[in-house]
């Protein structure tokens, strides 16, 4: 089988430009014939031919090629204009439960266990920012009417935070199993696969796969993390989505929405244990990445990233481009301290296991990028698939 040439193409929709990197042939000195048309790329070498057809919404302008240079370890770099249609508007994960009036079912994303079945959501409302109490105090000339009054959802409400849902579980834990209300037990469980640990430990875990889903906020209110729960209309079946694909998509959409709503581009990803696991800096959210990995055999596959490698080595996907710094094992302590004291940095809290998953996904993506794109200043670079 003829070896393929590695191709990496990043199209910026807003800038209408593209960066094309053509990997080095396996044998140094081999001639390469490159042909660029508006809808395809073709690379011919004595070893074989690689051809990539672009998505229908992307068109290159061959006559605009410029900046051709050879980068050792990468291959040929060049830039050119690209006519790319704006991507369709994403359905926010904050609104994935907003088919208000319809019955919804909450699933554990990891194993598909039903957490809440046939819940009719009459109100799906966004929560204010974490500093809303201080703003009320500054704008009101009278005592704060909301002082010491937490915002808890009623039975048919769903409140949406930056990285979580607040849901009232009264009907699921007590009305369906009223006998549990009078039993003096250190652990309450329900047939809906939710297990509440003792009061000293407020974590909510999936009874089937033991994944942390959220935490209890009161006797009736539970916080579910958006990376652990899927909400679907009850008439639909549970959609099987690879874990890494789901985590990437949710985190990417979260970064895009928060950067748009609050003009913040730096994020500290913290575990529910309060520790920072990774620092993220959002560079852009309009990238379309097209790549052909060729015959590379040097990259190890991880079960967590089962969706990354398919039988077809070519792929095209919308992505956000981020800079990141790992913060585990005492790394980057000074930078973490600096970011935590910076008001422009937004903190996102997720289960600690999910923070480690995200860090592995970022590291894995960074390792697949061309060498010249893997670092920017002191940060590492990665793409998160939308």
């Amino acid at each position: 089988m003829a070896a393929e040439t590695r191709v990496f193409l990043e199209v910026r929709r807003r800038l209408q430009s593209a960066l094309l990197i053509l990997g080095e042939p396996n044998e140094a000195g081999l001639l390469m014939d490159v042909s660029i048309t508006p809808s395809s790329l073709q690379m011919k070498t004595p070893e074989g031919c690689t051809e990539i057809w672009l998505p229908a919404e992307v068109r290159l302008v061959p006559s605009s090629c410029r900046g051709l240079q050879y980068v050792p370890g990468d291959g040929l770099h060049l830039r050119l204009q690209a006519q790319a249609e704006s991507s369709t508007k994403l359905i926010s994960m904050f609104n994935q439960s907003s088919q208000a009036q319809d019955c919804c079912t909450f699933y554990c994303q990891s194993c598909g266990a039903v957490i809440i079945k046939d819940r009719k959501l009459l109100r799906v409302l966004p929560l204010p920012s974490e500093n809303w109490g201080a703003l009320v105090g500054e704008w009101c000339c009278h005592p704060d009417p909301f002082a010491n009054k937490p915002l808890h959802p009623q039975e048919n409400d769903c409140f949406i935070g930056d990285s979580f849902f607040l849901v009232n579980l009264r009907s699921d834990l007590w009305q369906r199993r009223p006998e549990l209300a009078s039993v003096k037990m250190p652990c309450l469980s329900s047939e809906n696969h939710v297990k509440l640990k003792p009061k000293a430990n407020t974590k909510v875990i999936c009874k089937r796969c033991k994944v942390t889903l959220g935490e209890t906020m009161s006797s009736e209110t539970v916080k579910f993390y958006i990376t652990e729960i899927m909400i679907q209309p009850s008439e639909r079946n549970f959609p099987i989505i690879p874990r890494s694909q789901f985590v990437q998509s949710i985190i990417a959409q979260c970064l895009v929405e928060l950067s748009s709503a609050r003009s913040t581009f730096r994020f500290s990803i913290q575990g529910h244990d309060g520790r920072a696991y990774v620092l993220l800096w959002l560079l852009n959210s309009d990238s379309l990445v097209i790549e052909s990995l060729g015959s590379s055999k040097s990259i190890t596959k991880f079960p967590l990233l089962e969706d990354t490698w398919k039988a077809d080595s070519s792929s095209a996907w919308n992505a956000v481009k981020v800079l990141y710094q790992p913060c585990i094992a005492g790394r980057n302590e000074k930078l973490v301290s600096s970011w935590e004291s910076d008001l422009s940095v937004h903190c996102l809290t997720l289960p600690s296991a999910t923070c480690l998953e995200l860090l592995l996904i970022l590291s894995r993506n960074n390792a697949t990028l061309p060498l010249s794109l893997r670092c920017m200043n002191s940060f590492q670079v990665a793409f998160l698939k939308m």
Side-chain angles (χ1 to χ4, degrees):
M1 181 177 178
E4 293 184 351
T5 302
R6 172 165 183 173
V7 178
F8 179 90
L9 177 67
E10 181 191 2
V11 178
R12 293 291 306 277
R13 296 180 185 274
R14 294 196 187 103
L15 299 180
Q16 298 286 284
S17 67
L19 168 65
L20 175 62
I21 300 178
L22 305 176
E24 293 181 297
N26 291 337
E27 297 183 16
L30 284 181
L31 296 177
M32 179 188 295
D33 183 14
V34 180
S35 176
I36 301 177
T37 71
S39 60
S40 67
L41 303 169
Q42 186 181 80
M43 286 65 60
K44 290 182 179 180
T45 68
E47 290 187 330
C49 176
T50 300
E51 186 170 20
I52 296 179
W53 291 92
L54 304 178
E57 70 272 15
V58 177
R59 286 293 180 269
L60 300 179
V61 182
S63 60
S64 66
C65 291
R66 65 189 186 281
L68 179 64
Q69 61 175 326
Y70 172 77
V71 178
D74 270 4
L76 293 178
H77 285 224
L78 61 93
R79 294 185 177 275
L80 62 165
Q81 293 179 8
Q83 299 169 350
E85 298 177 6
S86 298
S87 57
T88 55
K89 187 176 182 180
L90 292 168
I91 299 176
S92 167
M93 73 283 185
F94 296 151
N95 295 328
Q96 63 173 303
S97 59
S98 64
Q99 295 98 341
Q101 313 308 324
D102 291 337
C103 286
C104 298
T105 297
F106 289 56
Y107 296 94
C108 170
Q109 197 280 325
S110 296
C111 69
V114 175
I115 306 302
I116 302 177
K117 187 175 182 179
D118 297 335
R119 169 64 66 89
K120 194 176 185 64
L121 298 175
L122 300 180
R123 297 195 305 171
V124 180
L125 303 172
L127 287 169
S129 66
E130 66 275 10
N131 299 317
W132 70 277
L135 294 176
V136 171
E138 292 182 4
W139 282 93
C140 292
C141 59
H142 51 75
D144 184 359
F146 304 105
N148 302 319
K149 292 182 180 180
L151 297 177
H152 285 167
Q154 299 301 312
E155 183 175 337
N156 295 109
D157 295 343
C158 180
F159 291 172
I160 311 300
D162 290 341
S163 60
F164 59 87
F165 304 102
L166 287 185
V167 180
N168 188 299
L169 286 189
R170 176 175 51 198
S171 60
D172 295 273
L173 291 181
W174 281 270
Q175 291 183 9
R176 295 186 183 185
R177 297 286 298 275
E179 68 275 13
L180 291 180
S182 59
V183 177
K184 302 299 182 181
M185 297 174 62
C187 181
L188 298 177
S189 63
S190 78
E191 59 188 2
N192 290 330
H193 299 282
V194 176
K195 182 178 180 182
L196 307 184
K197 289 191 172 183
K199 188 174 182 180
N201 186 347
T202 61
K203 288 196 298 184
V204 177
I205 66 174
C206 174
K207 191 175 181 180
R208 178 190 290 176
C209 67
K210 309 304 179 184
V211 164
T212 299
L213 302 176
E215 58 183 295
T216 57
M217 305 301 293
S218 70
S219 60
E220 298 178 354
T221 302
V222 171
K223 174 199 289 185
F224 289 123
Y225 294 111
I226 59 175
T227 54
E228 315 306 318
I229 293 290
M230 290 195 70
I231 304 176
Q232 293 290 318
S234 295
E235 65 270 13
R236 297 184 189 174
N237 295 325
F238 173 73
I240 300 177
I241 301 176
R243 176 65 182 166
S244 63
Q245 179 181 330
F246 182 80
V247 171
Q248 287 187 75
S249 177
I250 289 294
I251 297 298
Q253 292 181 55
C254 183
L255 298 182
V256 171
E257 293 196 1
L258 289 174
S259 64
S260 175
R262 304 186 182 181
S263 296
T264 181
F265 302 94
R266 292 186 294 164
F267 303 87
S268 174
I269 309 299
Q270 299 181 347
H272 58 268
D273 55 6
R275 293 190 302 159
Y277 282 77
V278 60
L279 303 177
L280 290 179
W281 196 326
L282 178 64
L283 281 186
N284 62 267
S285 58
D286 63 339
S287 290
L288 173 66
V289 178
I290 303 169
E291 61 179 342
S292 173
L293 297 178
S295 57
S296 175
K297 299 179 181 178
S298 61
I299 302 173
T300 304
K301 299 180 184 179
F302 295 92
L304 176 67
L305 304 163
E306 68 286 339
D307 64 302
T308 303
W309 295 92
K310 304 291 185 181
D312 183 1
S313 61
S314 298
S315 60
W317 29 276
N318 294 308
V320 298
K321 188 176 183 179
V322 298
L323 305 180
Y324 73 96
Q325 283 282 17
C327 305
I328 58 175
R331 298 174 62 180
N332 299 304
E333 290 182 347
K334 291 184 178 179
L335 184 61
V336 171
S337 177
S338 173
W339 278 40
E340 287 179 346
S341 60
D342 192 330
L343 295 178
S344 66
V345 176
H346 192 80
C347 293
L348 290 175
T349 301
L350 299 170
S352 299
T354 302
C355 294
L356 292 175
E357 288 180 44
L358 175 62
L359 184 54
L360 179 57
I361 290 170
L362 292 168
S363 300
R364 177 64 183 76
N365 179 266
N366 176 266
T368 65
L369 295 177
L371 288 173
S372 62
L373 301 185
R374 295 182 186 179
C375 295
M376 185 177 294
N377 296 330
S378 60
F379 285 80
Q380 299 179 65
V381 180
F383 290 89
L384 290 175
K385 297 181 182 180
M386 301 291 277

